[in-house]
Amino acid sequence: MRKITLLSSALIFIASQGFSQYFTVKIGGGYGWPGIQNSGSVMTFQPGTQTPDPATSTILPLIAQRTDSSSSKFKSNVYDGYGHGGHLDFSFGYMINPYFGVQLDGAYLWGRNVTSVQLYNDPLLGNNAKLTTSTHSNGLSVNPTFYFRAAKPTAKVAPYARIGLALPISGAIYHSLHIDAPGFAGGSTADINVKTEAAISLGFQGSVGVSYTPVPLITIWGEVSGQYLMVRAKESTLTKYDLNGQDFTKNFTTYSLVTNFVDKIDNNSNTTELGTKTRDQTSTTLSKTDESKPRDVLRQVANLSAFGFSVGITFNMSKKIFLDPFGKKAKAAAK
């Protein structure tokens, strides 16, 4: 009897040791919101008031407003963030011991579409102009992460925490503007699309959760997560400019179609903002902008911070786990 007890204990110990160092593959998904405090905003492109040339547009926080000929006027902020939306999570990891591991997490974001309507009187577009703006972000990020597990090696239920970096590697922010201008040239409509790509940016992310391991091979988990990430703009490109159904992008130079975001503007920058350069090619008093190159604008940042949840499944892999993936041998030895 004593020999059986010692043998059973030895098998359980071996099984727990086999589960103490292993590789993991995780897949899951969830949803995120801009944050607990409703105070963030998204950016948009506002058409110029003197000419339809896209180079005269400005970048400013998105608002909703009604300041047209109606007697019911208002302006209001549109609070949201580009991290708002669903995401697919996946990772490859390695548990160094039963309590600590490292992971290379990844996440793909499908951003929620944020929409705003502005009704206003405009010097260029005329009275009762209507501007409908929609914006969202899509993108892939990689997140090097430390994983902390707070339970015995053989525990099926375990609280855990993750903390690491957030590094976006691809993706973009998209803006779609639809303009109804009944007071412009006898009535006009315009559809404008802008794609903004990101420069290298770095943030932080982490989560706390609970995992359940019914068998050595599989762990089911759920967590509450948070991310702080401000993404720096690199370049914006006007991908569509239709006026009354006609494509007008061919009528504009690169200076009008592409925006280059920089951290400093000086006399050498390709811009008219400082008054040292002009787009008037006949001028003899100022240097000229290079119409074959993008327009330089001070860099903008997009808020991709979010607070949300994720659920998923992890596959635990090692030679010893594969010898008893469903724990049947260990369970039989314990009887």
Side-chain angles (χ1 to χ4, degrees):
M1 183 68 178
R2 185 178 179 182
K3 290 182 179 180
I4 295 175
T5 302
L6 289 174
L7 180 59
S8 299
S9 300
L11 288 172
I12 294 172
F13 175 77
I14 291 171
S16 65
Q17 288 300 301
F19 196 58
S20 65
Q21 291 182 326
Y22 52 95
F23 292 95
T24 61
V25 175
K26 178 182 77 173
I27 187 167
Y31 198 85
W33 291 268
I36 298 175
Q37 188 174 6
N38 192 24
S39 60
S41 62
V42 297
M43 308 300 291
T44 189
F45 292 81
Q46 188 80 11
T49 59
Q50 302 299 324
T51 168
D53 190 329
T56 64
S57 65
T58 56
I59 303 171
L60 71 172
L62 183 62
I63 66 170
Q65 68 169 321
R66 181 158 197 170
T67 56
D68 57 356
S69 302
S70 171
S71 60
S72 178
K73 302 182 188 306
F74 74 90
K75 285 186 177 183
S76 64
N77 290 319
V78 176
Y79 291 123
D80 218 307
Y82 288 109
H84 190 175
H87 51 87
L88 173 67
D89 307 314
F90 52 92
S91 82
F92 302 93
Y94 179 68
M95 290 298 296
I96 298 171
N97 59 49
Y99 312 104
F100 176 71
V102 292
Q103 295 179 344
L104 183 61
D105 295 337
Y108 189 87
L109 170 69
W110 285 277
R112 173 182 177 269
N113 211 34
V114 181
T115 302
S116 173
V117 176
Q118 300 180 48
L119 298 162
Y120 58 101
N121 297 331
D122 186 82
L124 174 66
L125 301 177
N127 291 342
N128 303 316
K130 180 180 181 181
L131 173 61
T132 304
T133 302
S134 296
T135 179
H136 72 280
S137 65
N138 291 339
L140 175 67
S141 64
V142 294
N143 310 318
T145 303
F146 293 119
Y147 181 91
F148 303 91
R149 182 177 182 273
K152 295 179 180 180
T154 56
K156 290 190 175 184
V157 178
Y160 69 88
R162 297 186 305 106
I163 187 169
L165 302 176
L167 179 63
I169 59 173
S170 69
I173 292 174
Y174 301 88
H175 288 83
S176 296
L177 286 71
H178 178 75
I179 302 172
D180 287 306
F184 178 77
S188 297
T189 62
D191 288 286
I192 302 170
N193 292 345
V194 181
K195 176 183 178 181
T196 303
E197 297 177 285
I200 296 175
S201 304
L202 185 64
F204 302 93
Q205 52 82 30
S207 66
V208 292
V210 176
S211 66
Y212 172 60
T213 306
V215 296
L217 182 64
I218 295 174
T219 296
I220 301 167
W221 51 268
E223 63 185 35
V224 177
S225 59
Q227 173 176 272
Y228 176 78
L229 178 60
M230 305 297 290
V231 174
R232 305 183 312 138
K234 178 182 179 181
E235 185 176 271
S236 288
T237 303
L238 192 74
T239 59
K240 180 179 181 180
Y241 194 114
D242 287 358
L243 181 61
N244 293 328
Q246 300 296 315
D247 180 11
F248 266 64
T249 55
K250 58 182 178 293
N251 297 337
F252 298 117
T253 64
T254 300
Y255 183 92
S256 295
L257 297 176
V258 184
T259 301
N260 177 46
F261 293 101
V262 296
D263 294 317
K264 180 182 178 180
I265 290 177
D266 56 26
N267 291 349
N268 296 318
S269 300
N270 198 32
T271 181
T272 62
E273 185 175 339
L274 299 180
T276 58
K277 291 188 177 182
T278 179
R279 300 187 70 189
D280 181 3
Q281 302 302 310
T282 64
S283 174
T284 58
T285 58
L286 295 175
S287 59
K288 314 297 189 295
T289 58
D290 189 339
E291 295 293 316
S292 67
K293 294 182 179 180
R295 172 176 57 121
D296 289 332
V297 172
L298 283 179
R299 194 180 311 279
Q300 300 287 326
V301 296
N303 185 2
L304 267 80
S305 300
F307 179 82
F309 72 93
S310 299
V311 295
I313 186 171
T314 296
F315 297 95
N316 310 303
M317 300 178 294
S318 72
K319 289 183 179 179
K320 292 184 178 180
I321 290 176
F322 289 152
L323 291 174
D324 189 18
F326 301 104
K328 292 181 180 180
K329 295 179 182 178
K331 186 180 296 184
K335 293 182 178 178

